[in-house]
């Protein structure tokens, strides 16, 4: 009989090999590279996730939850022909007993070093474009913006946002107050080259919020921060749904939809006009999506419903909301910050809604925490 400690070591090794493949694949994709045999690589990482789940101890209640999730994932796969949601589900389950801080530190350093390598290869002329000259915003002339190998300036600033959030979350206990000014300056340098307003603005708000919490951690017993995160999450979802349901009206001049869409640089209009048969529009959504709803556009929450369907997407939204409420109950401000600001950023950028699991480090947090909801109160304390 193999000892449990040996089983845990094997499980951790398989998990980190699988996670490394996902992270490297994400970085290569962010550099505009085309991954050969992508579907086969995803199948391998999926099987490795399944192996990790099998090696992890679960009680009966947890196995029932896992079975229900897998049935839903398999049905979505058979219905749409795409396995990315099923892969995400199993990966999230596999994160249950993983050391979350260690895994997030690993994610940060691989992502950070990989980002620097992509930029270095671009600057040195080995691989990737340094800049792009094109029309980025409506009614403006072509301009040159820098991407440093990431394929688009917005992708460059997004990776700055991801690295900043990961760094602050993982090393929050050790960060001195002046470090927030340093991080703000570094992101400002990236913004100077990328001119990507959205990611920079959200990063600034995130750093300000973290600094305020660092200065006054017990303001209103910290519920001020977590309740604020709940409202930010609800706003992110509600605004996205409003955009999805009114996207067909963005072409009318002088109405509120048109003005908001202009402020968001045509993002709302694109979910209606850039999707086949207008299926990005909420009026065309189906319960479990379909095989042709696979176009890309920027609004992440809308893409979630468009890609995966009303039922799976709503279950995901409810799960994240429940975890956010648990963070509020536990006064876990930094985790609430991460979830809320990623949700806020996902309004206008779909970086975290992707078939590349390595993009979404929040899955680690969800997987590590969601099984606590299965336990009775006395068991979880």
């Amino acid at each position: 009989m193999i000892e449990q400690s040996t089983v845990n070591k094997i499980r951790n090794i398989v998990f980190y090999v699988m996670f490394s493949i996902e992270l490297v694949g994400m970085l290569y994709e962010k550099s505009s590279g085309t991954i050969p045999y992508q579907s086969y690589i995803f199948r391998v990482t999926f099987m490795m996730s399944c192996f990790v789940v099998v090696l992890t101890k679960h009680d009966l209640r947890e196995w029932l939850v896992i079975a229900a999730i897998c049935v839903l994932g398999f049905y979505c796969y058979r219905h749409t022909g795409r396995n990315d949601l099923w892969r995400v589900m199993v990966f999230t389950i596999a994160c249950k007993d993983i050391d979350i801080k260690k895994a997030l530190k690993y994610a940060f350093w691989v992502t950070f070093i990989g980002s620097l390598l992509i930029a270095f290869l671009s600057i040195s002329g080995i691989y990737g474009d340094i800049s792009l000259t094109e029309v980025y915003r409506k009614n403006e002339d072509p301009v040159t913006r820098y991407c440093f190998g990431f394929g688009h300036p917005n992708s460059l600033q997004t990776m700055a946002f991801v690295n900043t959030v990961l760094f602050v979350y993982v090393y929050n206990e050790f960060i001195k107050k002046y470090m927030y000014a340093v991080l703000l300056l570094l992101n400002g340098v990236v913004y100077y080259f990328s001119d990507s307003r959205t990611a920079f603005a959200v990063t600034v708000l995130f750093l300000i919020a973290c600094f305020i919490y660092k200065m006054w951690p017990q303001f209103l017993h910290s519920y001020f921060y977590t309740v604020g995160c709940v409202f930010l999450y609800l706003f992110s979802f509600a605004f996205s749904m409003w955009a999805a349901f009114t996207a067909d009206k963005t072409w009318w001049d002088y109405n509120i939809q048109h003005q908001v869409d202009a402020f968001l640089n045509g993002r709302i209009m694109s979910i209606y006009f850039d999707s086949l048969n207008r299926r990005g529009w909420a009026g065309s959504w189906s319960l479990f999506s379909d095989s042709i709803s696979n176009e890309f556009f920027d609004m992440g929450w809308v893409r979630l419903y468009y890609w995966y369907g009303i039922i799976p997407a709503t279950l995901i939204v409810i799960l994240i909301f429940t975890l956010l409420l648990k963070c509020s109950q536990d006064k876990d401000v930094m985790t609430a910050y991460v979830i809320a600001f990623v949700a806020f950023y996902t309004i206008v950028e779909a970086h975290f809604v992707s078939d590349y699991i390595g993009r979404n480090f929040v899955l680690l947090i969800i997987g590590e925490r969601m099984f606590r909801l299965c336990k009775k109160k006395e068991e979880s304390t």
Side-chain angles (χ1 to χ4, degrees), residues 68 72-73 75-76 79 85 89 285-289 304-319:
L72 176 62
Y75 177 79
C76 293
H79 187 72
L85 182 59
M89 289 176 172
W285 290 346
S286 58
L287 293 180
F288 292 95
S289 190
L304 185 72
Y305 275 81
Y306 165 68
W307 270 10
Y308 305 131
I310 296 171
I311 291 178
T314 301
L315 291 174
I316 292 170
V317 169
I318 293 173
L319 172 61

Side-chain angles (χ1 to χ4, degrees), residues 217-229 325 327-331 333:
Q218 292 302 319
F219 184 68
L220 296 181
H221 302 286
S222 79
Y223 282 121
F224 171 79
Y225 303 108
T226 53
V227 172
C229 289
L325 291 178
C327 289
S328 181
Q329 179 184 350
D330 297 341
K331 299 182 182 179
V333 176

